[in-house]
Amino acid sequence: MGTLYYGDIATPIDIEDRALAHVKVVIATKLRRGESFTLSWTHGPGQEAGRSTVWLHPSIPLRFVFDDPEPALLSRAWVEALANSANSSGGLLLVPDPDDDPSDG
């Protein structure tokens, strides 16, 4: 389980390592362009039920921490799906990896 630390949020955001690697690519691309946007996720097991959203801005400190020392292999399709959501009015949503869609097989 990876962790995203954003600004002075009291509770770090836990995201599975492989998903966090993909989210990092999208966030870094948008922030490098000076774009602000939202990131939304559903709370995981062991957390209070619900969902959260944060506003991401280039001036706010951001740190990605991965449990696995080896970088995850990235899926171009997943990065594109996440980027498409980040470019929408709803902001970046943690959409599932399209390569893991059981209906494709």
Side-chain angles (χ1 to χ4, degrees):
M1 185 64 65
T3 307
L4 175 64
Y5 295 92
Y6 184 66
D8 61 359
I9 292 176
T11 306
I13 304 164
D14 292 327
I15 302 174
E16 185 272 325
D17 264 15
R18 185 163 178 271
L20 185 59
H22 287 77
V23 166
K24 181 184 99 171
V25 170
V26 174
I27 290 174
T29 299
K30 290 192 67 70
L31 293 180
R32 186 174 40 245
R33 294 177 184 156
E35 299 174 15
S36 299
F37 57 102
T38 60
L39 166 65
S40 300
W41 67 96
T42 302
H43 298 170
Q47 296 178 329
E48 191 174 316
R51 59 189 169 88
S52 293
T53 299
V54 293
W55 178 254
L56 296 172
H57 187 275
S59 68
I60 299 174
L62 179 66
R63 182 167 56 115
F64 301 87
V65 177
F66 299 89
D67 283 344
D68 191 344
E70 296 300 319
L73 294 175
L74 297 178
S75 159
R76 176 183 218 108
W78 201 4
V79 169
E80 288 175 0
L82 290 165
N84 287 339
S85 76
N87 291 327
S88 73
S89 60
L92 177 53
L93 301 173
L94 291 181
V95 298
D97 182 352
D99 292 336
D100 289 344
D101 186 354
S103 66
D104 284 348

